[in-house]
């Protein structure tokens, strides 16, 4: 007979695998994606205007048109002005980067994966997935 703890652990593992699979195959591109891509790219490109161009070029290449439009123009009046301003004005964009740069390990892992020819967008999801798997492994090793 399976103990309650083992049964709960199995359910947690199965649920986590389902959520991780759905997150990988159907990602939700939230607005932080823009600045985490930029923070990772900034390790090689410190000049704000070039970083701005490179960030949005990367996003345009890696995302579908609808997702890219949502990140650059917004779909709601409450975020449209902000997002379009950041898309059009490199200086406004650069002023937001300090809020994302302190996550050195996270940005470094994204940058490192990008150096292995993984797109920064995919690298962001890979880091999240690997972090989840590592947390599960740690949890499961306790039992």
């Amino acid at each position: 007979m399976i103990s309650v703890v083992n049964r709960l652990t199995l359910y947690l593992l199965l649920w986590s695998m389902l959520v991780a699979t759905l997150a990988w195959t159907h990602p939700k591109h939230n607005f932080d994606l823009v600045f985490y891509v930029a923070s990772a790219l900034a390790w090689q490109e410190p000049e704000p205007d070039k970083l701005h161009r490179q960030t949005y070029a990367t996003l345009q290449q890696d995302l579908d048109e609808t997702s890219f439009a949502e990140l650059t123009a917004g779909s709601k009046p409450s975020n449209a002005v902000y997002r379009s301003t950041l898309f059009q004005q490199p200086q406004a964009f650069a002023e937001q980067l300090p809020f994302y740069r302190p996550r050195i390990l996270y940005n470094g892992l994204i940058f490192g994966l990008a150096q292995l020819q993984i797109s920064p967008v995919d690298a962001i999801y890979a880091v999240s997935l690997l972090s989840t798997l590592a947390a599960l492994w740690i949890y499961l090793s306790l039992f």
Side-chain angles (χ1 to χ4, degrees):
M1 183 168 175
I2 298 176
S3 72
V4 173
V5 171
N6 286 342
R7 188 174 300 154
L8 289 174
T9 300
L10 179 62
Y11 292 149
L12 175 65
L13 179 63
L14 291 173
W15 176 255
S16 299
M17 289 172 53
L18 174 67
V19 170
T21 301
L22 288 173
W24 186 262
T25 58
H26 298 87
K28 172 76 174 108
H29 305 295
N30 70 31
F31 192 66
D32 288 340
L33 181 71
V34 174
F35 291 104
Y36 284 120
V37 167
S39 295
L41 295 175
W43 289 50
Q44 275 189 319
E45 183 52 71
E47 202 276 305
D49 287 345
K50 289 181 183 176
L51 179 61
H52 178 264
R53 281 192 304 275
Q54 188 177 2
T55 298
Y56 282 106
T58 299
L59 291 169
Q60 190 168 28
Q61 177 183 343
D62 291 348
L63 301 177
D64 59 79
E65 288 180 29
T66 304
S67 296
F68 183 74
E70 174 66 27
L71 294 178
T72 58
S75 60
K76 302 173 189 168
S78 60
N79 63 24
V81 173
Y82 176 69
R83 291 179 182 196
S84 62
T85 300
L86 294 175
F87 179 57
Q88 296 167 3
Q89 298 179 15
Q91 184 57 37
F93 177 85
E95 290 172 0
Q96 301 302 309
L97 285 173
F99 296 106
Y100 294 86
R101 285 192 174 159
R103 294 181 70 184
I104 296 169
L105 181 59
Y106 183 68
N107 292 325
L109 289 170
I110 296 165
F111 173 75
L113 289 173
Q115 296 306 298
L116 298 173
Q117 304 306 311
I118 297 173
S119 79
V121 173
D122 287 342
I124 287 170
Y125 291 112
V127 169
S128 297
L129 178 63
L130 293 174
S131 299
T132 301
L133 293 175
L136 275 172
W137 180 74
I138 291 168
Y139 174 78
L140 293 174
S141 69
L142 296 175
F143 295 101

